[in-house]
Amino acid sequence: MAATGAAATDLEVVRGKRAALFFATVVIVLGLPLWWKTTETYRAPLPYSQISGLNSLKLRLMVPVTVVFTQESVPLDDQEKLPFTVVHEREIPLKYKLKIKCRFQKAYRRALDHEEAALSLGNIQEAEAMLAEPSEQAEGSLTVYVISERCSLLPQDMMSYIGPKRMAVVRGITHREAFNIIGRRIIQVVQAMSLTEDVLAAALADHLPEDKWSSDKRRPLKSSLGYEITFSLLNPDPKSHDVHWDIEGAVQRYVQPFLSALSAAGNFSVDSQILYYAVLGVNPRFDSASSSYYLAAHSLPHVINPVESRLGSSAASLYPVLNFLLYVPELAHSPLYIQDKDGAPVATNAFHSPRWGGIMVNGHTVQSPEPKVQGQTDWVGEVRLLFGIAQPQLPPKCLFFGPKSEGIMTWELDRLLWARSVENLATATTTLTSLAQLLGKISNIVIKDDVASEVYRAVAAVQKAAEELSSGHLASAFAASQEAVTSSERAFFDPSLLHLLYFPDDQKFAIYIPLFLPMAVPILLSLFKIFLETRKSWKKPEKTD
Amino acid sequence: MVDTCFLSRGLTTLAGLLLLPFGSLAASQIEDQAEQFFRSGHTNNWAVLVCTSRFWFNYRHVANTLSVYRSVKRLGIPDSHIVLMLADDMACNPRNPKPATVYSHKNMELNVYGDDVEVDYRSYEVTVENFLRVLTGRIPSSTPRSKRLLSDDRSNILIYMTGHGGNGFLKFQDSEEITNIELADAFEQMWQKRRYNELLFIIDTCQGASMYERFYSPNIMALASSQVGEDSLSHQPDPAVGVHLMDRYTFYVLEFLEEINPASQTNMNDLFQVCPRSLCVSTPGHRTDLFQRDPKNVLITDFFGSVRKVEITTETISLQPDSGVVESSYKKDQMVEELMEPLKYAEQLPVAQIIHQRLCAYPDKLDSM
């Protein structure tokens, strides 16, 4: 009886052990992974390796240059060697993680008949007009014409000429080393018209680690898809002046041509308003020497803020806004001039604030309160400064007339597009890298599928832009870089990335312990008991021996 | 003897006079460089002012926030650059004996509500999620521009928070909390996207110093009204309004800020001395180890005011207008204007006729007139 009872309890014990082991296996093998999988944050797969590869991207900016030689420009035996291609590559020394190389690909060829005819005219403007007819140059490319040493197209002491439409003229030389010498002159001219180190340094000013305070002066507008330009007339004293402001005509005559020349760089929209009883926040001082009023240079920074709240610029659109104000001084404070730091009145009577806009004071006396039309040309100068279109650094002995009616030369637009493309690529790369870093640091962020597809699109656009830049297609490179920036910003700022609020560790324990502890304790205790008994049964055979 | 003395003295003075311009030039160059080095390099200022408590007895938190709002506006930051979040409406609260006012001094000396308060997030919109969305920029695209923090990498941001807090958390609307870890992570996200140049974080709650303990992003300076384990106390009750009007720390900060104008050169070290223990009962704390510049070179107006960098425009372009194409459309506009006749009002109410009719209808009235 006792033996069967003992056998029965043995069977019970064995069955109990097996049951405990089975529970434990189910919990560990099935339960734990299931719980882990269902409580992890969802992350769609992202191309982390490609994103880190973007940081070591080598950008090569290619400028295709066509060099056209007329008949007497170089010695005959050199002329036999045409056509061929020379490549001149240079690394831009910037302290930035992306290595940028600038490559000028010069394709030398002989001049065609109509080009010879055009270049033998007496006047450079006529020659230009004739040469520009056949084809429009693609963005980013340049053409240089080499004329003979004694040709009278340029004045005798001038060695080169830079025109407003991606065209330049350089004097040739009859010398043994003609191609080398001319090649150097061409490089000088072409560099003035396209990429130099400070164009790129200004574009990357926000990304370079060096002194951010020295780049105060060079603070161009950030690259954006579009800009909104607002013209405002401030009339603090409507009782005394009845100002007629023909803004529509001025916009059509001066502003629209300039903006349509710049249209490749973004969408521009223009609006205008008149504000009455809007005063400057600063009281002008009286200068008895010239019996006029003046605003000192150190009081100018305080002028903008009181006025800005009345401009209503922020309600209009999500694009960055450029405000241009024309202030007609009150009768009591007329005429009003702006003084610079040394106390001399400023000729333009205007000042600007980087990334905001500009203010011009109408310095006329009471008799002619009409705002000058010349104000619009000052406006073009201010916009060029705000966009970072600097005056070009010309090579020595170069003839240069400046922009004609649009206010901007086509190759200046190209420089802007290059700078913007590089800036866009830098911004997109930084955004994608910081997204990857954030995901590594904060483990609770959810990445949905559409965010992941935006990231893929951004990475592809960056790579495409780099490819297009190295093959010299500036327009498509700029478009690809804009798409890269838009996609990367959309991915980074997607509202769903904030979906999970964070749970501190003690709150996590507070939730899981009441659920898991009652279930885990019996299993663990029974496992422990099984383990002890098996150890005892191993030791027993030794003892009997 | 005397002659040589004079000669040597003359020579030294001559040498001194010759060296003076060089010395002053070098000194001014060094001064320029030094001044440039200590400037902060920001181009715009933003402010995010948050009051997190509701109910009438938390009047003082709304008054705190509105006082800081008022100072910040006075020193130059425009409304478009201020995100003001008030969790309850005290000015139009049914229990307010003086409607449309929020006072910060007893005897109703200073009404901080004013005429042009622009509250961006009000009442139940002030939640932890909205606050974090504003900071990190992850806002749904339908949000209006006034509710966004559109800062860039050259913005100095002032963040002021007030309400009821504890060790490591701040209570929002009596129903949820924001922890110091969440706040630190939000600042890190801002830093990764370069949404600020420098950040000043001020918090006026109980145990406020615990909220800035966990920050780890660079360029953040933090001030709190009390240390961990201490309570931040309120300043003065007003018998007419019936509640406490301000908290002590913000009251003394407001007093300090009233003396600042947009051109003043007061620095942050003075702000750290505001409200010592004798006046505040709690010990205000600050944290500057994450900040790159020395606080004594940081101007108050770097964060509380908005001074723009301006440059005189010296370059001009001379344009010849492209007269051919545009003149035609211009002339068309002019012609359209000339064709229209001058307008004049039609007689809306022929008064004389009406009186005449009435009088004729009632002839006896003529006698009485």
Side-chain angles (χ1 to χ4, degrees):
Chain A
M1 226 14 213
T4 44
T9 43
D10 267 345
L11 207 59
E12 283 286 325
V13 166
V14 166
R15 211 185 280 162
K17 273 191 210 165
R18 275 201 213 124
L21 282 173
F22 185 65
F23 276 129
T25 328
V26 166
V27 164
I28 293 174
V29 168
L30 273 184
L32 267 181
L34 196 68
W35 166 72
W36 187 258
K37 197 86 197 347
T38 48
T39 53
E40 71 173 3
T41 55
Y42 177 70
R43 291 239 174 124
L46 287 181
Y48 291 110
S49 52
Q50 286 186 6
I51 293 177
S52 51
L54 287 181
N55 272 327
S56 44
L57 199 63
K58 290 198 189 343
L59 276 183
R60 182 175 290 144
L61 308 171
M62 189 178 93
V63 184
V65 182
T66 313
V67 185
V68 179
F69 286 90
T70 55
Q71 277 192 334
E72 288 104 38
S73 48
V74 280
L76 269 170
D77 42 342
D78 279 336
Q79 288 221 358
E80 307 283 304
K81 296 187 201 157
L82 294 172
F84 63 96
T85 306
V86 173
V87 169
H88 177 95
E89 189 162 310
R90 192 173 76 96
E91 176 150 350
I92 308 267
L94 287 173
K95 274 193 235 160
Y96 187 56
K97 55 184 184 195
L98 294 183
K99 299 271 168 278
I100 304 181
K101 281 196 192 155
C102 187
R103 184 193 180 106
F104 296 106
Q105 187 159 304
K106 297 178 285 191
Y108 290 8
R109 67 170 172 84
R110 277 202 203 101
L112 302 171
D113 288 331
H114 72 272
E115 290 169 346
E116 292 270 1
L119 288 169
S120 52
L121 291 173
N123 190 353
I124 187 74
Q125 267 100 348
E126 288 174 22
E128 238 186 301
M130 243 185 95
L131 286 168
E133 276 160 31
S135 61
E136 256 314 309
Q137 290 261 10
E139 267 112 356
S141 61
L142 295 166
T143 309
V144 181
Y145 294 95
V146 184
I147 56 175
S148 70
E149 219 171 335
R150 279 171 297 280
C151 182
S152 60
L153 196 59
L154 296 176
Q156 271 312 107
D157 50 341
M158 291 291 176
M159 302 301 290
S160 50
Y161 163 76
I162 294 183
K165 281 204 191 303
R166 296 188 185 111
M167 190 206 82
V169 175
V170 164
R171 259 191 214 287
I173 196 167
T174 42
H175 190 268
R176 224 168 13 149
E177 295 286 314
F179 278 146
N180 285 344
I181 300 176
I182 296 177
R184 278 198 289 273
R185 280 187 202 156
I186 291 175
I187 289 288
Q188 268 190 331
V189 166
V190 165
Q191 272 188 342
M193 289 169 85
S194 65
L195 294 167
T196 47
E197 189 183 311
D198 41 318
V199 167
L200 291 174
L204 290 174
D206 296 331
H207 296 268
L208 295 175
E210 3 173 315
D211 30 15
K212 35 186 191 173
W213 16 82
S214 77
S215 61
D216 241 0
K217 295 257 183 317
R218 306 176 293 163
R219 190 166 287 137
L221 281 171
K222 290 186 80 119
S223 164
S224 156
L225 287 174
Y227 298 92
E228 166 123 7
I229 301 193
T230 307
F231 291 101
S232 310
L233 176 70
L234 301 179
N235 189 354
D237 200 8
K239 298 192 298 286
S240 334
H241 308 310
D242 183 19
V243 183
H244 295 285
W245 192 37
D246 180 26
I247 185 64
E248 280 183 73
V251 162
Q252 278 194 326
R253 255 178 295 161
Y254 296 101
V255 175
Q256 283 297 69
F258 181 70
L259 291 182
S260 45
L262 265 187
S263 59
N267 301 327
F268 289 93
S269 62
V270 181
D271 35 46
S272 63
Q273 59 178 345
I274 304 183
L275 293 175
Y276 294 108
Y277 294 105
V279 292
L280 297 181
V282 176
N283 276 330
R285 303 255 177 85
F286 185 67
D287 178 29
S288 47
S290 54
S291 68
S292 60
Y293 290 84
Y294 69 92
L295 284 172
H298 62 84
S299 62
L300 291 178
H302 304 293
V303 167
I304 298 181
N305 283 322
V307 158
E308 193 186 0
S309 53
R310 299 201 52 191
L311 290 176
S313 50
S314 57
S317 75
L318 285 176
Y319 287 148
V321 180
L322 287 179
N323 297 295
F324 293 100
L325 274 54
L326 182 60
Y327 181 71
V328 179
E330 313 160 326
L331 194 56
H333 290 309
S334 287
L336 181 63
Y337 297 109
I338 296 179
Q339 271 192 1
D340 60 9
K341 272 189 293 223
D342 311 316
V346 173
T348 54
N349 225 15
F351 64 98
H352 63 275
S353 178
R355 294 192 181 171
W356 184 79
I359 298 186
M360 201 183 112
V361 176
N362 189 32
H364 280 289
T365 54
V366 181
Q367 278 76 33
S368 56
E370 298 277 332
K372 275 175 18 178
V373 159
Q374 211 232 316
Q376 302 306 325
T377 60
D378 293 341
W379 170 81
V380 169
E382 277 187 357
V383 171
R384 285 167 61 105
L385 281 174
L386 286 170
F387 272 96
I389 305 172
Q391 298 283 14
Q393 290 163 332
L394 300 169
K397 294 197 205 156
C398 181
L399 185 62
F400 177 67
F401 288 127
K404 286 206 297 225
S405 55
E406 286 98 19
I408 185 172
M409 296 178 267
T410 41
W411 47 268
E412 283 183 327
L413 176 65
D414 290 347
R415 274 165 80 179
L416 187 66
L417 289 183
W418 260 306
R420 285 296 164 83
S421 307
V422 172
E423 187 190 335
N424 285 345
L425 286 181
T427 313
T429 315
T430 319
T431 309
L432 290 171
T433 316
S434 12
L435 181 62
Q437 276 177 355
L438 258 182
L439 291 177
K441 244 188 216 166
I442 302 176
S443 51
N444 284 331
I445 298 184
V446 173
I447 300 286
K448 296 202 301 206
D449 289 328
D450 49 351
V451 175
S453 64
E454 289 286 344
V455 173
Y456 274 102
R457 203 178 305 160
V459 169
V462 169
Q463 287 165 342
K464 178 169 177 239
E467 263 176 47
E468 296 282 334
L469 277 178
S470 62
S471 54
H473 304 132
L474 184 57
S476 50
F478 180 67
S481 70
Q482 280 197 322
E483 197 197 314
V485 166
T486 325
S487 294
S488 58
E489 300 265 316
R490 218 180 290 153
F492 192 93
F493 285 121
D494 192 85
S496 69
L497 261 72
L498 204 67
H499 206 63
L500 278 186
L501 292 179
Y502 308 97
F503 298 110
D505 291 332
D506 47 352
Q507 289 189 9
K508 273 193 208 150
F509 280 127
I511 291 175
Y512 284 131
I513 285 180
L515 288 176
F516 284 150
L517 207 59
M519 178 194 69
V521 165
I523 295 179
L524 288 173
L525 280 180
S526 51
L527 279 179
F528 190 59
K529 225 166 70 162
I530 293 172
F531 174 67
L532 282 179
E533 283 182 9
T534 17
R535 218 172 52 159
K536 234 192 291 181
S537 64
W538 284 339
K539 283 204 186 132
K540 253 201 208 154
E542 294 176 6
K543 276 193 183 165
T544 52
D545 279 345
Chain B
M1 233 2 214
V2 178
D3 293 328
T4 47
C5 253
F6 268 121
L7 197 59
S8 62
R9 207 178 292 169
L11 277 175
T12 44
T13 45
L14 193 63
L17 279 175
L18 280 175
L19 284 175
L20 249 181
F22 291 117
S24 64
L25 186 66
S28 68
Q29 268 184 354
I30 294 177
E31 230 177 71
D32 270 345
Q33 277 179 1
E35 189 201 307
Q36 278 190 339
F37 182 69
F38 291 134
R39 278 194 293 147
S40 84
H42 69 281
T43 57
N44 53 56
N45 283 75
W46 286 81
V48 179
L49 310 173
V50 185
C51 161
T52 60
S53 9
R54 55 174 36 241
F55 306 129
W56 172 245
F57 51 83
N58 289 324
Y59 184 102
R60 59 189 186 281
H61 296 142
V62 172
N64 288 350
T65 320
L66 285 173
S67 324
V68 177
Y69 172 76
R70 192 179 158 274
S71 309
V72 144
K73 260 180 79 158
R74 188 179 56 85
L75 290 172
I77 303 187
D79 268 316
S80 53
H81 284 224
I82 303 179
V83 178
L84 179 61
M85 305 171 81
L86 294 181
D88 202 357
D89 188 2
M90 298 305 171
C92 302
N93 194 307
R95 292 171 74 168
N96 191 346
K98 303 274 180 205
T101 60
V102 172
Y103 290 111
S104 66
H105 282 57
K106 65 174 181 229
N107 301 325
M108 300 180 209
E109 278 168 23
L110 185 58
N111 174 18
V112 290
Y113 202 62
D115 292 334
D116 54 352
V117 170
E118 191 181 294
V119 182
D120 300 305
Y121 286 85
R122 55 192 74 188
S123 182
Y124 288 106
E125 291 170 0
V126 179
T127 58
V128 174
E129 183 183 338
N130 280 350
F131 176 61
L132 290 177
R133 281 194 193 281
V134 164
L135 286 185
T136 54
R138 303 226 166 86
I139 296 188
S141 47
S142 56
T143 318
R145 198 173 163 131
S146 60
K147 281 187 169 175
R148 293 179 189 240
L149 178 66
L150 294 168
S151 56
D152 55 26
D153 56 313
R154 288 275 187 261
S155 309
N156 275 9
I157 307 185
L158 165 72
I159 299 186
Y160 175 84
M161 302 182 77
T162 182
H164 288 290
N167 190 354
F169 67 91
L170 173 62
K171 196 168 65 157
F172 265 69
Q173 305 254 17
D174 216 12
S175 65
E176 50 181 3
E177 297 139 9
I178 184 171
T179 54
N180 47 6
I181 306 174
E182 284 174 346
L183 199 56
D185 283 341
F187 287 159
E188 174 66 16
Q189 294 195 43
M190 290 174 80
W191 174 249
Q192 285 290 341
K193 196 59 186 71
R194 296 293 181 274
R195 274 165 69 78
Y196 66 88
N197 178 34
E198 287 169 348
L199 199 90
L200 178 64
F201 177 74
I202 306 184
I203 183 159
D204 188 352
T205 63
C206 304
Q207 307 194 50
S210 62
M211 287 304 281
Y212 61 64
E213 273 172 4
R214 300 288 198 122
F215 292 164
Y216 53 93
S217 317
N219 286 352
I220 301 184
M221 193 189 298
L223 282 103
S225 60
S226 53
Q227 302 290 333
V228 175
E230 288 180 349
D231 286 338
S232 207
L233 301 180
S234 58
H235 185 62
Q236 39 179 220
D238 184 301
V241 178
V243 285
H244 286 259
L245 292 181
M246 283 271 273
D247 278 333
R248 281 178 195 246
Y249 182 69
T250 312
F251 180 81
Y252 290 108
V253 166
L254 178 63
E255 228 177 49
F256 173 79
L257 287 177
E258 288 287 310
E259 284 159 30
I260 310 276
N261 56 52
S264 74
Q265 301 285 315
T266 329
N267 58 42
M268 276 295 163
N269 273 343
D270 302 326
L271 188 59
F272 295 158
Q273 310 301 325
V274 160
C275 204
R277 203 196 162 101
S278 52
L279 290 172
C280 252
V281 183
S282 59
T283 320
H286 53 91
R287 180 176 176 181
T288 52
D289 58 320
L290 293 167
F291 205 74
Q292 276 176 2
R293 294 189 288 151
D294 194 346
K296 71 171 188 290
N297 297 320
V298 180
L299 299 177
I300 301 281
T301 49
D302 278 349
F303 289 103
F304 283 90
S306 174
V307 181
R308 304 221 180 227
K309 313 260 189 281
V310 297
E311 284 167 36
I312 310 270
T313 312
T314 46
E315 298 180 8
T316 54
I317 308 273
S318 59
L319 287 184
Q320 303 114 26
D322 193 9
S323 43
V325 174
V326 190
E327 277 296 341
S328 53
S329 56
Y330 184 58
K331 281 213 181 75
K332 206 166 43 161
D333 286 340
Q334 273 199 326
M335 271 167 48
V336 168
E337 277 186 38
E338 284 166 15
L339 281 174
M340 286 172 52
E341 290 170 16
L343 301 170
K344 63 182 189 49
Y345 277 117
E347 277 289 342
Q348 303 286 326
L349 195 63
V351 176
Q353 281 181 327
I354 292 178
I355 294 181
H356 185 72
Q357 275 175 357
R358 289 218 122 175
L359 290 174
C360 291
Y362 305 101
D364 48 352
K365 280 229 159 118
L366 266 174
D367 298 332
S368 64
M369 277 174 66

